Amino acid sequence: MKVGALQLGENKTQSELNAYLKAAYDQKVKVVVLGEYLLGDFFKNIENKDKKKFLNEIKSQHTMLLELSCKFPMTLVAPMIEGVGNKIYKSMAIINKGKALFYRSQRLMPYEHWNEAGFFDNTLPKNIKMPPVFKVGNLKFSVLFGYELHFDEFWLKFKQNQIDCVLLPSASTFDSSLRWRSIIKMRAFLNSCYILRANRIGQYEDVENKTTWNFYGDSLLVNPAGEVMDCLGDREELLIAEIDKKQLDLLKECWKFR
């Protein structure tokens, strides 16, 4: 089965997304995942936005993706900000044929320089719940935000639910690519699953601290042996890669971690 990771910067237009999704659809891709903070501004640029104006922006992003999903009958996995009343949630939409299922992040970054936990209205439960599971063909998929990658509780849930491929949108920066690769390879191997990671590219200028945050890309597919099957560089690109169910079953039987 072919899957895709769309590696872009922020504020992409409908026509730009349309071109990439058409390319994926023409090559018979079944699932496409987008990186974090692609449809609008990066998190640091929305912290001080006018809330009413921001909620209207969110609605237009939702409409755009729903329209594209009707045009290209694939499963789209897109991190997006969800507005409900006056509340704002960091969510991920799983979209197919104009219908969307939302997953709200259960673990948010609490750091002084990047405080999503203090900004979003997500409930952060003591006991983590299983993220959504969906099947495409004979493969079981689930989703996870980049920060959530670091919490063992999610991976125990994935193993218990026999997940074949975890879709991992991220917005990684600060020269962390080697660490991220190591963690992703380890998680894929110990859980006998594929991991498809879509990272963003671009820069954020931290004027106050006179620093530049570089989002380095490196979107990739890691197989259940913990090997990087394919990856992108640091430019705007679409990764199309293959998930092999036979290989997955062989490795599950070989290592018996599942």
Side-chain angles (χ1 to χ4, degrees), residues 151-184:
F151 294 86
D152 294 338
E153 296 93 327
F154 288 106
W155 296 95
L156 291 172
K157 298 281 189 189
F158 292 149
K159 188 179 290 188
Q160 291 162 4
N161 285 272
Q162 294 289 308
I163 299 304
D164 298 316
C165 181
V166 176
L167 304 171
L168 182 72
S170 64
S172 307
T173 182
F174 302 131
D175 298 319
S176 60
S177 59
L178 292 179
R179 182 176 75 245
W180 272 80
R181 276 198 171 214
S182 296
I183 297 172
I184 292 170

Side-chain angles (χ1 to χ4, degrees), residues 107-122:
R107 292 291 180 265
L108 297 172
M109 283 186 281
Y111 311 120
E112 185 177 348
H113 68 288
W114 193 336
N115 190 2
E116 293 179 340
F119 178 78
F120 292 110
D121 293 299
N122 295 51

